[in-house]
């Protein structure tokens, strides 16, 4: 099969987790929300220290206010889901998440603060 000049020869595939506010998220007091947010941030910071969470942060302008933030993990999607299940805000029902594999042209992103490999190098199959 001839190569398509618009399709990269290789891709770096990253595990992305998008956090969102689920419908019916429980209402909690401002004080409890402040404490929950502190636990959420501490949990994510610990994942960064362990090297499994490469980069993360909240969304600002967005077309859907349910979307809250995004993370790129240095693990497979199943492990990212397992770790996301342990997030205090997910446990409390204030956040839910979607796990995705994101394919980008090989070498188009760099994570200078990551201690190890992030993502997998893959090629498109000829099927």
């Amino acid at each position: 099969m001839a190569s398509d000049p618009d399709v990269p020869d290789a891709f770096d595939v990253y595990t992305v987790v998008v956090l969102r506010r689920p419908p019916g998220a429980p209402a909690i007091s401002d004080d409890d929300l402040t404490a929950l947010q502190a636990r959420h941030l501490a949990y994510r910071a610990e994942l960064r220290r362990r090297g499994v969470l490469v980069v993360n942060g909240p969304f600002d302008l967005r077309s859907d206010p349910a979307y809250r933030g995004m993370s790129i993990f240095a693990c497979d999607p199943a492990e990212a889901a397992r770790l996301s299940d342990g997030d205090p805000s997910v446990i409390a029902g204030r956040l839910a998440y979607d796990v995705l594999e994101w394919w980008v042209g090989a070498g188009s992103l760099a994570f200078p603060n990551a201690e190890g490999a992030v993502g997998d190098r893959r090629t498109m199959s000829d099927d």
Side-chain angles (χ1 to χ4, degrees):
M1 169 183 244
S3 178
D4 183 335
D6 295 325
V7 178
D9 290 331
F11 293 84
D12 291 330
V13 181
Y14 299 104
T15 300
V16 175
V17 172
V18 176
L19 295 172
R20 58 183 162 72
R21 179 72 39 82
I28 61 176
S29 71
D30 288 345
D31 289 342
D32 289 343
L33 186 57
T34 297
L36 179 60
Q37 181 69 3
R39 291 193 311 276
H40 163 74
L41 294 174
Y43 180 77
R44 311 257 335 143
E46 176 58 25
L47 294 178
R48 276 194 317 276
R49 281 190 288 279
R50 290 177 31 203
V52 71
L53 179 59
V54 179
V55 63
N56 70 298
F59 295 130
D60 187 11
L61 299 176
R62 54 202 186 268
S63 60
D64 184 338
Y67 291 111
R68 310 306 294 169
M70 186 176 101
S71 304
I72 296 178
F73 282 78
C75 60
D76 65 39
E79 179 67 0
R82 187 188 71 74
L83 293 167
S84 295
D85 284 339
D87 186 309
S89 290
V90 171
I91 293 168
R94 290 288 293 176
L95 292 177
Y97 62 87
D98 298 304
V99 179
L100 308 99
E101 278 193 339
W102 185 35
W103 291 52
V104 300
S108 60
L109 289 177
F111 301 98
N113 295 328
E115 292 186 19
V118 179
D120 297 317
R121 182 72 42 100
R122 298 188 197 163
T123 58
M124 294 291 278
S125 93
D126 289 333
D127 297 340

